[in-house]
Short mmCIF file of all heavy atoms in Angstrom, two decimals:
data_model
loop_
_atom_site.label_atom_id
_atom_site.label_comp_id
_atom_site.label_asym_id
_atom_site.label_seq_id
_atom_site.Cartn_x
_atom_site.Cartn_y
_atom_site.Cartn_z
N ARG A 44 -222.62 -32.16 -29.08
CA ARG A 44 -222.19 -31.52 -30.32
C ARG A 44 -222.95 -32.10 -31.50
O ARG A 44 -223.16 -33.33 -31.55
CB ARG A 44 -220.70 -31.79 -30.54
CG ARG A 44 -219.79 -31.18 -29.53
CD ARG A 44 -218.40 -31.77 -29.67
NE ARG A 44 -217.39 -30.95 -29.04
CZ ARG A 44 -216.09 -31.28 -28.98
NH1 ARG A 44 -215.67 -32.40 -29.52
NH2 ARG A 44 -215.23 -30.48 -28.41
N LYS A 48 -228.12 -27.33 -31.70
CA LYS A 48 -228.54 -26.29 -30.73
C LYS A 48 -228.50 -24.88 -31.32
O LYS A 48 -229.42 -24.10 -31.10
CB LYS A 48 -227.63 -26.36 -29.48
CG LYS A 48 -227.79 -27.66 -28.69
CD LYS A 48 -226.74 -27.76 -27.59
CE LYS A 48 -225.35 -27.72 -28.16
NZ LYS A 48 -224.42 -28.71 -27.88
N ASP A 67 -220.90 -20.65 -26.49
CA ASP A 67 -219.57 -20.69 -27.13
C ASP A 67 -219.23 -19.34 -27.77
O ASP A 67 -218.08 -18.89 -27.71
CB ASP A 67 -219.50 -21.80 -28.19
CG ASP A 67 -219.36 -23.19 -27.59
OD1 ASP A 67 -218.87 -23.31 -26.47
OD2 ASP A 67 -219.76 -24.15 -28.27
N VAL A 78 -212.48 -21.32 -29.19
CA VAL A 78 -212.64 -22.42 -28.23
C VAL A 78 -211.43 -23.36 -28.32
O VAL A 78 -210.86 -23.78 -27.32
CB VAL A 78 -213.95 -23.19 -28.49
CG1 VAL A 78 -214.01 -24.48 -27.70
CG2 VAL A 78 -215.16 -22.32 -28.19
N PHE A 90 -211.11 -24.07 -20.03
CA PHE A 90 -212.30 -23.77 -20.85
C PHE A 90 -213.57 -23.85 -20.00
O PHE A 90 -214.45 -22.99 -20.08
CB PHE A 90 -212.40 -24.75 -22.03
CG PHE A 90 -213.69 -24.59 -22.80
CD1 PHE A 90 -213.86 -23.55 -23.70
CD2 PHE A 90 -214.75 -25.47 -22.58
CE1 PHE A 90 -215.06 -23.38 -24.38
CE2 PHE A 90 -215.96 -25.30 -23.25
CZ PHE A 90 -216.11 -24.26 -24.16
N ARG A 91 -213.67 -24.88 -19.16
CA ARG A 91 -214.90 -25.05 -18.34
C ARG A 91 -215.08 -23.88 -17.37
O ARG A 91 -216.21 -23.48 -17.08
CB ARG A 91 -214.86 -26.37 -17.56
CG ARG A 91 -214.84 -27.62 -18.43
CD ARG A 91 -216.14 -27.89 -19.15
NE ARG A 91 -215.99 -28.97 -20.13
CZ ARG A 91 -216.64 -29.05 -21.27
NH1 ARG A 91 -217.52 -28.11 -21.62
NH2 ARG A 91 -216.46 -30.05 -22.09
N GLU A 94 -216.45 -21.16 -19.41
CA GLU A 94 -217.82 -21.51 -19.79
C GLU A 94 -218.79 -21.23 -18.64
O GLU A 94 -219.89 -20.70 -18.85
CB GLU A 94 -217.87 -23.00 -20.17
CG GLU A 94 -219.22 -23.48 -20.66
CD GLU A 94 -219.17 -24.92 -21.18
OE1 GLU A 94 -218.73 -25.82 -20.43
OE2 GLU A 94 -219.57 -25.13 -22.34
N GLY A 113 -222.99 -25.01 -24.74
CA GLY A 113 -222.02 -25.96 -25.27
C GLY A 113 -222.34 -27.36 -24.75
O GLY A 113 -222.90 -27.51 -23.65
N GLY A 114 -221.98 -28.37 -25.54
CA GLY A 114 -222.37 -29.74 -25.22
C GLY A 114 -221.95 -30.25 -23.85
O GLY A 114 -222.57 -31.14 -23.28
N GLY A 115 -220.87 -29.65 -23.30
CA GLY A 115 -220.36 -30.14 -22.02
C GLY A 115 -220.73 -29.26 -20.84
O GLY A 115 -220.31 -29.53 -19.70
N ARG A 155 -214.17 -25.02 -33.22
CA ARG A 155 -215.08 -25.02 -32.07
C ARG A 155 -215.06 -26.31 -31.28
O ARG A 155 -215.57 -26.36 -30.16
CB ARG A 155 -216.52 -24.84 -32.59
CG ARG A 155 -216.88 -23.40 -32.90
CD ARG A 155 -217.09 -22.73 -31.61
NE ARG A 155 -217.37 -21.32 -31.66
CZ ARG A 155 -218.59 -20.80 -31.84
NH1 ARG A 155 -219.61 -21.56 -32.08
NH2 ARG A 155 -218.75 -19.51 -31.77
N ARG A 156 -214.54 -27.37 -31.90
CA ARG A 156 -214.71 -28.69 -31.29
C ARG A 156 -213.40 -29.46 -31.20
O ARG A 156 -213.21 -30.44 -31.92
CB ARG A 156 -215.77 -29.47 -32.06
CG ARG A 156 -217.13 -28.79 -32.00
CD ARG A 156 -218.17 -29.48 -32.83
NE ARG A 156 -219.47 -28.90 -32.62
CZ ARG A 156 -220.35 -28.67 -33.61
NH1 ARG A 156 -220.05 -28.96 -34.85
NH2 ARG A 156 -221.53 -28.15 -33.32
N PRO A 157 -212.51 -29.02 -30.32
CA PRO A 157 -211.28 -29.81 -30.11
C PRO A 157 -211.64 -31.20 -29.60
O PRO A 157 -212.70 -31.39 -28.99
CB PRO A 157 -210.53 -29.00 -29.04
CG PRO A 157 -211.58 -28.16 -28.38
CD PRO A 157 -212.60 -27.87 -29.41
N LEU A 159 -212.09 -34.36 -27.36
CA LEU A 159 -212.36 -34.48 -25.92
C LEU A 159 -211.74 -35.75 -25.35
O LEU A 159 -211.84 -36.02 -24.16
CB LEU A 159 -213.87 -34.49 -25.67
CG LEU A 159 -214.63 -33.23 -26.11
CD1 LEU A 159 -216.14 -33.47 -26.06
CD2 LEU A 159 -214.25 -32.03 -25.26
N ARG A 175 -222.64 -38.75 -20.61
CA ARG A 175 -223.46 -37.55 -20.47
C ARG A 175 -224.97 -37.75 -20.58
O ARG A 175 -225.73 -36.89 -20.12
CB ARG A 175 -223.06 -36.52 -21.53
CG ARG A 175 -221.67 -36.00 -21.34
CD ARG A 175 -221.36 -34.98 -22.41
NE ARG A 175 -220.01 -34.45 -22.31
CZ ARG A 175 -219.48 -33.59 -23.16
NH1 ARG A 175 -220.20 -33.17 -24.19
NH2 ARG A 175 -218.25 -33.15 -23.01
C1 LIG B 120 -217.96 -29.20 -26.06
C2 LIG B 120 -218.86 -28.77 -27.01
C3 LIG B 120 -218.66 -27.55 -27.81
C4 LIG B 120 -217.72 -26.56 -27.11
C5 LIG B 120 -216.46 -27.26 -26.69
C6 LIG B 120 -216.72 -28.43 -25.73
C7 LIG B 120 -218.23 -30.47 -25.33
O1 LIG B 120 -219.93 -26.91 -28.03
O2 LIG B 120 -218.35 -25.97 -26.02
O3 LIG B 120 -215.79 -27.71 -27.83
O4 LIG B 120 -217.59 -30.74 -24.30
O5 LIG B 120 -219.13 -31.22 -25.78
P1 LIG B 120 -221.06 -27.46 -29.08
O6 LIG B 120 -221.88 -28.47 -28.34
O7 LIG B 120 -221.83 -26.22 -29.39
O8 LIG B 120 -220.33 -28.03 -30.24
#
Side-chain angles (χ1 to χ4, degrees):
R44 294 167 162 177
K48 295 172 301 234
D67 284 335
V78 169
F90 173 78
R91 297 289 171 213
E94 183 173 56
R155 279 285 177 85
R156 298 176 173 139
L159 299 169
R175 294 181 181 177

